[in-house]
Amino acid sequence: MASNGKVITCRAAVAYGPGQPLVVEQVQVDPPQKMEVRIKILFTSICHTDLSAWKGESEAQRAYPRILGHEASGVVESVGEGVIDMKEGDHVVPIFNGECGDCIYCKSSKKTNLCGKFRVNPFKSVMDSDGKCRFRNKDGIPIYHFLNTSTFSDYTVVDSACLVKIDPHAPLDKMTLLSCGVSTGLGAAWNTADVQTGETVAVFGLGAVGLAVVEGARTRGASKIIGVDINPEKRIKGEAIGITDFINPKEIDVPVHEKIREMTEGGVHYSFECAGNMDVLREAFLCTHDGWGMVIVLGIHPTPRLLSLHPMELFDGRRIVASVFGDFKGKSHLPLFAKQCMAGVVKLDEFITHRLPFEKINEAFQLLLDGKSLRCLLHL
């Protein structure tokens, strides 16, 4: 391309402070350095991790100015020295939990999907190769990176370990969902829990990640999928995707875990905590069946509170684990997952509730903040 090796001036939505509206302005994007790729973002969306970072809910998220965003899809514009698995024009999906393929973690086969060098790291705000930013504003001030991706920009630079090449025939708008939400939730059901036909599931929090869990449990043939949410409107969307029962904690006079145990003859096989709330997490733990129940933690917990759990409670046979990116190894597993989505094994349409031009990114944030959207797709 004509821009290869040159600085690109383009639009980006820059966060200058916690809770402040993002500023859509011109920024400069440097060429990719060794083992880096510069991509043209075509679609991006917002998830609760972006929302949490925008609010500045932890010290790790307070590097400003910063370009947020980690759910996206696009096309390779240029590649840096050493990149051999991608070329200009390839269709790609950025991933916040990278896979270098060479470290002890990446070579661990099924033991972990973390990478020693490019795992998700909210403290990281610069590129790995030289500790510098690839973005600058009009005044020449460096703009920090976010979660290995920074997709709220027409162009972004990412490490090649954090970029997945997908089928060129895959619909790029829907493939955006594979960068985070759908992969995280569905992967938790498929990979972490390994839900089997006839087993029972409870999902606490029916946002995009929670509903992706529902989709994963549905495709595996779960006999009962109980959705739990304080927003009564989530029932309709949940039923459209696959929940068999719905519980609004505000509408029952007993603890949620007691209600679920009653509905499932002692508790579910698996519960998924997708709310980022400690009290909800305890209910999710207690609603699983003793002897074999497992709770999978997916929610983002910015609170300094610690888990309310006595060690002796684990002696009843229940287990508690967390799942990062649905235990998918991004570069190894996502190309096949994309093909499964293309083949209709997984339904993605239900997750895109709104579409807006990139300039209305602050409206998209508000829709998520108000609980009115699952994923608002922004067109760049």
Side-chain angles (χ1 to χ4, degrees):
M1 297 184 180
S3 55
N4 197 314
K6 301 177 181 178
V7 173
I8 289 178
T9 300
C10 66
R11 296 173 306 167
V14 183
Y16 280 97
Q20 297 180 15
L22 301 184
V23 179
V24 179
E25 62 182 6
Q26 295 291 303
V27 301
Q28 291 184 316
V29 185
D30 289 336
Q33 301 304 305
K34 184 176 181 179
M35 296 306 295
E36 295 175 0
V37 181
R38 187 163 62 184
I39 60 175
K40 165 62 177 171
I41 299 292
L42 298 180
F43 300 95
T44 189
S45 56
I46 302 165
C47 88
H48 278 89
T49 304
D50 299 309
L51 192 62
S52 176
W54 172 69
K55 292 178 180 178
E57 290 182 337
S58 74
E59 291 293 337
Q61 298 162 339
R62 293 174 186 166
Y64 298 108
R66 198 170 201 175
I67 295 178
L68 304 176
H70 65 288
E71 278 194 349
S73 59
V75 178
V76 172
E77 179 270 339
S78 59
V79 301
E81 177 189 348
V83 178
I84 60 174
D85 61 335
M86 279 169 279
K87 63 182 185 304
E88 295 177 13
D90 282 345
H91 289 196
V92 290
V93 170
I95 49 174
F96 63 89
N97 190 52
E99 182 186 355
C100 73
D102 296 322
C103 69
I104 189 173
Y105 295 89
C106 288
K107 293 179 178 179
S108 66
S109 184
K110 295 183 179 180
K111 291 187 181 298
T112 182
N113 70 332
L114 296 180
C115 174
K117 199 172 184 180
F118 298 104
R119 70 175 67 188
V120 54
N121 180 3
F123 289 94
K124 184 178 178 181
S125 56
V126 294
M127 296 303 292
D128 189 81
S129 64
D130 58 6
K132 297 180 180 179
C133 302
R134 299 290 178 263
F135 302 107
R136 296 184 305 278
N137 67 11
K138 63 180 182 300
D139 297 318
I141 298 173
I143 302 174
Y144 292 110
H145 296 249
F146 176 67
L147 288 185
N148 294 322
T149 49
S150 292
T151 63
F152 294 162
S153 175
D154 283 326
Y155 289 87
T156 190
V157 176
V158 301
D159 292 289
S160 62
C162 298
L163 201 60
V164 178
K165 179 181 175 179
I166 60 172
D167 191 312
H169 298 102
L172 279 176
D173 56 345
K174 297 176 185 178
M175 292 299 104
T176 297
L177 303 174
L178 273 57
S179 280
C180 180
V182 169
S183 296
T184 297
L186 188 139
W190 282 7
N191 304 324
T192 313
D194 191 18
V195 176
Q196 299 295 305
T197 301
E199 292 184 325
T200 55
V201 167
V203 183
F204 289 75
L206 296 179
V209 171
L211 290 173
V213 172
V214 172
E215 175 68 0
R218 179 195 68 80
T219 60
R220 282 294 183 87
S223 61
K224 186 178 286 290
I225 306 174
I226 304 169
V228 182
D229 204 293
I230 59 174
N231 183 347
E233 296 181 5
K234 295 294 182 68
R235 178 173 196 155
I236 298 173
K237 180 62 72 172
E239 289 177 343
I241 291 180
I243 64 170
T244 58
D245 302 87
F246 179 79
I247 297 175
N248 185 336
K250 293 183 177 180
E251 296 177 351
I252 58 177
D253 54 7
V254 297
V256 174
H257 75 268
E258 291 186 11
K259 181 67 173 177
I260 292 178
R261 285 184 182 180
E262 176 188 332
M263 296 167 62
T264 57
E265 299 182 354
V268 293
H269 291 85
Y270 307 101
S271 70
F272 299 81
E273 189 278 318
C274 309
N277 181 293
M278 283 295 182
D279 298 322
V280 172
L281 178 53
R282 178 154 182 81
E283 288 295 303
F285 176 77
L286 294 174
C287 84
T288 61
H289 203 293
D290 67 339
W292 57 77
M294 176 188 289
V295 54
I296 295 92
V297 182
L298 295 168
I300 301 298
H301 289 256
T303 173
R305 286 178 60 193
L306 300 180
L307 179 62
S308 177
L309 180 70
H310 193 283
M312 295 306 296
E313 291 181 297
L314 296 172
F315 280 79
D316 284 333
R318 296 184 179 92
R319 291 170 291 165
I320 179 169
V321 301
S323 178
V324 177
F325 198 48
D327 279 328
F328 278 119
K329 283 182 176 287
K331 292 176 80 73
S332 296
H333 297 158
L334 249 57
L336 174 58
F337 184 36
K339 288 182 179 295
Q340 290 174 303
C341 293
M342 293 171 65
V345 175
V346 178
K347 299 182 297 184
L348 296 179
D349 291 328
E350 296 287 345
F351 292 91
I352 301 174
T353 55
H354 298 76
R355 293 174 181 261
L356 290 173
F358 182 63
E359 290 80 4
K360 295 188 176 182
I361 189 170
N362 288 298
E363 292 183 29
F365 265 88
Q366 194 63 47
L367 285 169
L368 186 63
L369 188 64
D370 293 341
K372 295 180 180 179
S373 69
L374 292 178
R375 284 296 184 265
C376 179
L377 201 65
L378 296 168
H379 302 252
L380 284 88

